[in-house]
Amino acid sequence: KDSQSRRFKTAVTYQEGRKTRNSRRARAIEKGSKYGKQQQENDWQQTEYDALHKLKQAGVKVPEAYMFIDGVLLMELICTDDQEVAPRLNDIAMDAEQAIEDHYVMMVYIMRMLCIGLIHGDLSEFNVLADDYGPVVIDFPQVIDAAGNQQARVLFNRDVNNITEYYAQFAPELLETKYA
């Protein structure tokens, strides 16, 4: 999504700690010039592409990112074995056993993200798809640098709690693992 259609009112929270290698671009972004705004938007979009590659290498199940060109990210369409588009977690129900199993998988994914220094920042049942083999995490333009963002702990805890609360609908005992 471009900056006009993005819903993040506090995008600056997510961008804290992101590095811009080119000093000219960094100054333009800081000044808020037209060029700076274009560069900031490009950086925002490039972040998702880069994160998808890092996450895939870390063993987090995410869509394959094929290319990013002219502000468009082309990525794998996640489908079920029946070639139906995989639903979001929000659109499905499951038994307690499946909820516990998938919750564990998601906690492993969250841990792997943190191990490579990334926090999703907006993780919920709306940003996870369910294919026939388990959860697939999507939507990473707001991903944050765990070490460079002062809100990292808050966003990490929110991600963990959102996922735990979702799965606890089907397996209430998961609420015992809720983090503060």
Side-chain angles (χ1 to χ4, degrees), residues 17 52-53 67 70 96 99 123 130 143 146:
L52 286 169
H53 284 286
M67 69 173 64
D70 296 331
L123 196 56
V143 69

Side-chain angles (χ1 to χ4, degrees), residues 4-5 11 17 37 42-43 60-61 65 68-69 78 102 104 118-119 125-126 136 138 142 152 165 170 175 177 180:
Q4 303 304 317
S5 59
K37 288 178 183 177
N42 186 58
D43 289 352
V60 177
K61 194 169 177 189
F68 174 74
I69 187 166
I78 305 299
D102 285 359
Y104 176 80
L118 298 177
I119 296 172
E125 65 272 23
F126 300 100
V136 180
I138 62 168
Q142 76 293 325
E165 288 171 6
F170 310 106
L175 288 177
T177 63

Side-chain angles (χ1 to χ4, degrees), residues 77-80 84-88 129-132 136:
L77 177 64
I78 305 299
C79 294
T80 63
E84 297 291 323
V85 174
R88 294 179 306 175
L129 303 178
D131 71 8
D132 293 324
V136 180

Side-chain angles (χ1 to χ4, degrees), residues 62-79:
V62 296
E64 182 79 33
Y66 298 124
M67 69 173 64
F68 174 74
I69 187 166
D70 296 331
V72 176
L73 175 58
L74 181 63
M75 69 178 93
E76 172 186 16
L77 177 64
I78 305 299
C79 294

